[in-house]
Amino acid sequence: MAMMQSSKYAAYPVVDISDRTWPDKRITRAPVWCSIDLRDGNQALPVPMSVQEKIEMFKLLIGIGFKEIEVGFPSASAVEFQFVRTLIEENLIPDDVTIQVLTQAREHLIRRTFESLEGANRAIVHLYNSTSTVQRDVVFRKNRQEIKEIAIRGTALVRELREAFGNKGIRFQYSPESFTGTELEYALEVCQAVMETWGASADEKVIVNLPSTVEMSTPNIFADRIEWFCRNLSDRDAAIISVHTHNDRGTAVASAELAMMAGADRVEGALFGNGERCGNLDIITMALNMYTQGVDSRLDFSNLTHLTEVYRECTRMPVHPRHPYAGELVHTAFSGSHQDAINKGMKARTESENEVWCVPYLPIDPKDVGFSYKAIVRINSQSGKGGVAYVMEKEFGYSLPKWLQPDFGLVVQAIVDREGRELSPEEIRDLFSREYVRLERPYLLKKCHISWEDEDPDRNDEVATTITSALQEGEREFGFTARGNGPVDAFVTGFIHDSGIDFIVSEYSEHAIGHGADTQAIAYVKITLPDGTVSYGAGIDSNISLASIKAVMSAVNRLDTQAKK
């Protein structure tokens, strides 16, 4: 096998910042969020969104709570230009939302960008030019001073056009594109020149956006770069430091989180991380990471199911079933040990007065993001008795006693092993009914009458219950009348006498299922024969005594079923 040649790659340079402070910081507040779904996300789509699809996405982003939204690159195409005009002319931009438009630092593109903003009350003009070493040397073939001059001239023109527009609602953002591929000192030099050209101040801040256009280092080094930049910027109060992380190394979220700890004020990203190559920062993940730490992200992701549907329709992109928080399987456990822990954790939460969420394997309450508890536990060949019991209780109200759970778990396991697939909750319920409830052979209970003759109701051991039953075994019909200290005791006494099958009821449990007029009782029993053989049964009836007797009959009939197996 051919070996990969790692020697063709060089390690990313570290930052000389021995007294870094970001490792001791915590994220305690939300950044200024800027959605780039309609620009960076859109340009990465195999089929870019139409104007109508972009409008639908724009409305979704507003509903989530974004106050800054990059809506496009209006000088790049007629569709991009028309979309910006549609937003403005049809008054689709709320008063508290600022649109952002991107432009290269080229005169005709900047002028066209301003034409698209005619009539906008609030907007950010986002100017960029690439400053990286490889772009300077290979793409533009310009030296440091020439590249810096491009940024300065572009900034001066944006300032001039804003003054000509007389619109103080237009703000300015500058990005040294490929910041991660740019010498740190040089990136600072260019951004400093841009701020001076603009006349940045504490009253009129420039957004300095530092993009990892290509993610090239571990998140800690990116954080070092952000902290170094913030420290060395001559007028830090005149800048809003923004980050725009990509996911080439799979750590865009971590890089943005550490950048915030290092001093960043603002974060750009997209829903589900949609973007070039491996994508941008996923704002959903980062915002919900904050939420699970008790920090208000100021974004509303309480209905991820709806959000996912709109995203898929507008972008034609799938959402991975294991995507953090939003994937259809991320709140689901198939593993038996996980299911058992979740089952116990959910019960403990119901019984506890502690409001802090703490359930094993569930870092977030699925209901907080629009998922029901229905999908938490699903049953396949990896599942266990705890998961089966959870499904039966949450879906159908059957609270299986612990002594029954292992037996039913084996029944379910045998089916999934044989069929090699997941079982739906309805299939599990039907399997339980078939295995434990609807057993009418070899013994069929045809009639049962219960009467009481309590002389002392306070005595629990009084033989005061009379059972009169009619049964059928094959072609033979028989019946009995027996007495006991309760319906089950009386029935068992009479049945043993007439059938010759000797057993005791060694475990018993009951509860109600349903509500109101539909309420029924379910009883579970375990019977034990003298030789140690055990069998389980369940019975359902509107009368708890009859449910209990039906459960005994099911357990007896199951002895015959088990023997045939």
Side-chain angles (χ1 to χ4, degrees):
M1 183 178 71
M3 296 295 291
M4 296 176 67
Q5 299 298 317
S6 60
S7 58
K8 70 186 290 184
Y9 299 97
Y12 191 85
V14 298
V15 181
D16 184 13
I17 181 172
S18 58
D19 57 342
R20 60 184 59 81
T21 63
W22 65 260
D24 296 323
K25 302 289 181 62
R26 296 185 64 124
I27 298 175
T28 58
R29 58 177 177 78
V32 175
W33 299 106
C34 179
S35 162
I36 54 173
D37 292 85
L38 294 167
R39 200 277 304 170
D40 208 347
N42 185 58
Q43 77 175 27
L45 297 175
V47 180
M49 288 181 269
S50 66
V51 169
Q52 190 54 48
E53 286 168 337
K54 293 186 82 170
I55 289 173
E56 187 174 359
M57 178 65 77
F58 183 72
K59 290 178 178 178
L60 177 69
L61 296 170
I62 290 171
I64 291 169
F66 287 100
K67 301 304 179 185
E68 295 183 5
I69 302 173
E70 189 163 79
V71 294
F73 199 147
S75 63
S77 72
V79 172
E80 294 280 287
F81 187 91
Q82 183 56 48
F83 174 60
V84 177
R85 295 306 310 151
T86 300
L87 291 178
I88 296 170
E89 292 170 2
E90 296 186 10
N91 297 316
L92 297 176
I93 307 169
D95 291 340
D96 62 345
V97 172
T98 300
I99 61 169
Q100 178 171 300
V101 287
L102 182 71
T103 179
Q104 290 177 322
R106 299 169 65 185
E107 181 176 353
H108 70 288
L109 299 180
I110 295 172
R111 292 186 181 278
R112 181 65 169 163
T113 299
F114 269 85
E115 289 174 16
S116 75
L117 293 176
E118 182 71 43
N121 294 323
R122 301 159 65 101
I124 296 170
V125 174
H126 180 187
L127 181 80
Y128 79 94
N129 69 305
S130 187
T131 57
S132 73
T133 307
V134 68
Q135 295 259 22
R136 296 195 312 263
D137 294 344
V138 175
V139 179
F140 301 109
R141 299 185 181 278
K142 294 182 182 294
N143 61 33
R144 286 189 176 195
Q145 185 59 35
E146 290 172 319
I147 292 294
K148 184 171 71 171
E149 284 299 323
I150 292 173
I152 292 172
R153 287 197 302 271
T155 301
L157 180 58
V158 172
R159 180 80 188 202
E160 175 187 326
L161 292 175
R162 191 190 76 158
E163 297 305 319
F165 263 57
N167 187 347
K168 293 295 184 181
I170 293 178
R171 296 159 58 205
F172 180 59
Q173 173 172 320
Y174 173 72
S175 290
E177 189 196 1
S178 300
F179 168 73
T180 45
T182 304
E183 305 90 337
L184 194 50
E185 296 83 356
Y186 178 60
L188 177 67
E189 178 185 333
V190 174
C191 292
Q192 199 80 67
V194 164
M195 289 177 64
E196 290 172 2
T197 301
W198 183 262
S201 67
D203 294 328
E204 188 173 352
K205 299 177 187 287
V206 167
I207 301 172
V208 178
N209 188 51
L210 304 175
S212 59
T213 308
V214 177
E215 186 176 41
M216 303 171 71
S217 72
T218 52
N220 62 301
I221 294 180
F222 185 69
D224 282 348
R225 289 176 66 90
I226 298 301
E227 181 164 343
W228 185 95
F229 190 97
C230 290
R231 283 191 196 180
N232 289 278
L233 193 63
S234 62
D235 193 353
R236 177 64 179 85
D237 290 340
I240 296 170
I241 301 300
S242 176
V243 292
H244 173 119
T245 58
H246 275 257
N247 204 43
D248 300 274
R249 294 171 53 91
T251 57
V253 170
S255 293
E257 289 176 333
L258 298 191
M260 279 190 65
M261 294 158 59
D265 311 298
R266 182 177 183 270
V267 171
E268 295 188 346
L271 302 179
F272 302 107
N274 183 37
E276 300 280 12
R277 303 180 309 281
C278 301
N280 294 295
L281 161 85
D282 175 17
I283 281 188
I284 296 174
T285 299
M286 184 169 174
L288 289 176
N289 283 354
M290 291 182 189
Y291 180 76
T292 62
Q293 300 300 303
V295 177
D296 182 1
S297 71
R298 301 189 179 277
L299 295 177
D300 182 6
F301 292 116
S302 61
N303 194 347
L304 285 181
T305 301
H306 170 70
L307 186 156
T308 301
E309 290 174 356
V310 175
Y311 171 82
R312 285 172 174 156
E313 290 173 1
C314 291
T315 66
R316 303 170 185 82
M317 294 287 284
V319 174
H320 196 283
R322 296 292 182 190
H323 192 284
Y325 301 110
E328 64 176 333
L329 294 179
V330 298
H331 308 292
T332 300
F334 291 101
S335 162
S337 60
H338 288 206
Q339 292 172 345
D340 184 60
I342 290 171
N343 188 15
K344 291 174 180 175
M346 294 296 283
K347 285 184 176 179
R349 179 166 177 78
T350 301
E351 298 165 359
S352 172
E353 296 181 358
N354 185 5
E355 294 184 0
V356 175
W357 177 259
C358 186
V359 174
Y361 301 111
L362 291 176
I364 194 171
D365 184 345
K367 285 192 172 181
D368 285 355
V369 288
F371 288 84
S372 71
Y373 292 145
K374 181 174 182 178
I376 289 180
V377 171
R378 287 163 57 177
I379 306 303
N380 66 9
S381 62
Q382 303 300 308
S383 306
K385 63 183 188 300
V388 172
Y390 180 88
V391 169
M392 290 292 287
E393 181 169 7
K394 293 300 180 184
E395 295 295 318
F396 310 111
Y398 289 35
S399 183
L400 304 187
K402 287 186 178 297
W403 44 264
L404 176 58
Q405 291 177 19
D407 190 73
F408 186 40
L410 292 174
V411 171
V412 173
Q413 191 70 43
I415 297 296
V416 295
D417 283 347
R418 185 181 72 216
E419 300 196 5
R421 64 178 180 85
E422 179 185 350
L423 294 186
S424 70
E426 290 73 22
E427 287 177 309
I428 296 168
R429 177 199 57 196
D430 292 346
L431 180 59
F432 180 83
S433 182
R434 184 170 70 247
E435 188 75 21
Y436 298 95
V437 180
R438 298 197 309 264
L439 298 177
E440 298 181 343
R441 294 180 181 176
Y443 296 99
L444 172 63
L445 180 65
K446 302 186 73 175
K447 294 182 181 180
C448 186
H449 176 73
I450 307 169
S451 61
W452 287 270
E453 299 175 3
D454 275 354
E455 296 178 0
D456 185 356
D458 294 330
R459 286 183 56 190
N460 294 325
D461 61 345
E462 185 177 5
V463 180
T465 305
T466 301
I467 290 282
T468 300
S469 299
L471 299 94
Q472 182 173 336
E473 181 189 14
E475 298 298 322
R476 180 175 79 97
E477 293 190 5
F478 66 100
F480 59 81
T481 298
R483 290 170 61 84
N485 63 8
V488 174
D489 181 57
F491 182 83
V492 170
T493 299
F495 183 81
I496 290 174
H497 181 270
D498 278 35
S499 68
I501 302 174
D502 189 16
F503 63 90
I504 63 170
V505 176
S506 49
E507 295 284 1
Y508 175 83
S509 180
E510 66 181 50
H511 64 84
I513 52 176
H515 301 283
D518 296 328
T519 300
Q520 288 190 299
I522 183 167
Y524 314 90
V525 300
K526 172 185 176 182
I527 65 173
T528 304
L529 278 60
D531 65 0
T533 300
V534 299
S535 183
Y536 303 87
I540 299 175
D541 197 278
S542 58
N543 182 296
I544 184 58
S545 297
L546 287 177
S548 304
I549 292 169
K550 288 179 178 180
V552 172
M553 287 304 304
S554 289
V556 171
N557 286 332
R558 203 158 173 266
L559 286 169
D560 184 70
T561 302
Q562 290 173 312
K564 290 178 180 178
K565 289 181 180 179

